[in-house]
Amino acid sequence: MHQSDSPVVREISVADKDAGPYGITTGPDGALWLTFVHSGSVARLTLDGELREFPLDMPSCRPTVITPGPDGALWFTRSQDHRIGRITTEGEAESFGLPTPESGPYGITAGPDGALWFTQMNTGRIGRITSEGEISEFALPVEGAFPAAITNGPDGALWFTLNQANAIGRITPDGDTALYPLPTPGAAPVGITSDGAALWFVEIGAGQVGRISTDGRIDEFPLPDRTAKPHAVVATATGDCWFTEWGANRIGRITASGEITEHDLPSPSSEPHGITVGPDGALWTALETGGVARVAP
């Protein structure tokens, strides 16, 4: 485990520090899409630096995680007003209220069934929404679990982190759930991704990266700095993942063997959150202080 200066890291300003770039994904239009969690906007950033910002109907709605949908639009969670948002690549936005009040949606991903799946932090539920806005909810078999990120697994199920239950969860499109406790107490998992063979997740409380097989076997890999607070993770290939270290101002990489390399971000205390593989094959991360970072391996 070591630090490396080999990748080229470049930062681009996209907003002032009060906007709060948070979630980031690659859209079907070959551009990057971001959520501005504090100002209540969604933004589109092209690879040549053209930025368009689309204010939402409620500035205080706190858009958080964003993902491409099966309908060619972008879908995102609105954690403050408890809605699921949708925006077309032309910037036309709408939103859908959730059946359970004060549910706090956070993570969202496209599922294997042509719908979007999302977590509800405050009510311990997993939600499903179709492209037409039809919503279903599935209660988890544990109280106060605080489900966070969610991803489409290689086994046709959805996998998610349970931040306060210290576990990884699995739910099928039919709503059958299973929970897998983590070996490390207080690990507080947040981000999760699939590399096509297994699931990788980050433990913000323990300063570790974890891997879980589809049959529930768990491995954990400590970071050199256990106070780094890893937040989000994305896979670039089988056994190759990149993650943000929110507490240490770094981007990290982990391989299938557990080898970890870390790369400092240029601006101090830039608060890296979401991370995605860009349309150019580089890693892009949202910096809550007002920018994005491009990491070219």
Side-chain angles (χ1 to χ4, degrees):
M1 294 181 285
H2 61 279
Q3 288 188 323
S4 170
D5 297 322
S6 56
V8 177
V9 182
R10 177 168 61 98
E11 289 185 9
I12 302 166
S13 177
V14 295
D16 60 40
K17 63 179 182 179
D18 296 326
Y22 189 91
I24 188 169
T25 195
T26 294
D29 55 349
L32 294 156
W33 287 79
L34 298 111
T35 58
F36 290 175
V37 67
H38 300 312
S39 62
S41 298
V42 173
R44 178 183 185 270
L45 177 67
T46 65
L47 293 179
D48 58 8
E50 180 186 350
L51 181 74
R52 291 183 65 193
E53 184 176 348
F54 305 100
L56 301 174
D57 56 342
M58 183 70 69
S60 61
C61 67
R62 290 186 65 84
T64 47
V65 179
I66 186 167
T67 192
D71 57 348
L74 288 304
W75 291 74
F76 54 96
T77 50
R78 298 171 39 150
S79 62
Q80 186 65 34
D81 66 351
H82 316 290
R83 303 179 71 86
I84 301 298
R86 177 185 183 272
I87 189 167
T88 68
T89 53
E90 290 77 34
E92 299 174 357
E94 60 182 325
S95 66
F96 306 89
L98 300 182
T100 302
E102 308 295 317
S103 58
Y106 179 77
I108 189 168
T109 191
D113 56 349
L116 286 303
W117 288 75
F118 57 93
T119 61
Q120 299 182 25
M121 296 182 296
N122 299 345
T123 56
R125 296 168 186 261
I126 302 298
R128 177 185 184 271
I129 183 169
T130 67
S131 297
E132 295 75 31
E134 181 181 348
I135 296 171
S136 307
E137 295 178 321
F138 303 92
L140 298 175
V142 59
E143 295 292 329
F146 210 79
I150 187 169
T151 195
N152 190 10
D155 57 348
L158 290 304
W159 291 75
F160 51 93
T161 54
L162 295 171
N163 180 262
Q164 293 301 298
N166 209 53
I168 303 300
R170 178 184 184 271
I171 187 168
T172 69
D174 294 329
D176 295 329
T177 59
L179 304 184
Y180 302 93
L182 297 180
T184 301
V190 181
I192 190 169
T193 190
S194 169
D195 70 357
L199 291 304
W200 292 79
F201 55 93
V202 287
E203 301 176 359
I204 197 170
Q208 299 185 137
V209 178
R211 178 179 60 208
I212 182 170
S213 64
T214 54
D215 60 2
R217 182 173 56 84
I218 297 171
D219 298 296
E220 294 175 310
F221 306 94
L223 299 180
D225 177 4
R226 300 294 290 274
T227 67
K229 297 187 184 302
H231 176 80
V233 60
V234 66
T236 59
T238 302
D240 193 350
C241 297
W242 291 72
F243 54 94
T244 55
E245 295 185 13
W246 173 70
N249 203 51
R250 298 187 190 109
I251 303 298
R253 180 188 184 192
I254 187 167
T255 65
S257 63
E259 180 183 2
I260 294 169
T261 53
E262 298 173 306
H263 316 289
D264 293 326
L265 294 172
S267 296
S269 304
S270 59
E271 298 187 37
H273 284 290
I275 188 169
T276 193
V277 179
D280 56 353
L283 284 303
W284 292 76
T285 184
L287 309 175
E288 196 172 345
T289 52
V292 295
R294 179 183 184 271
V295 182

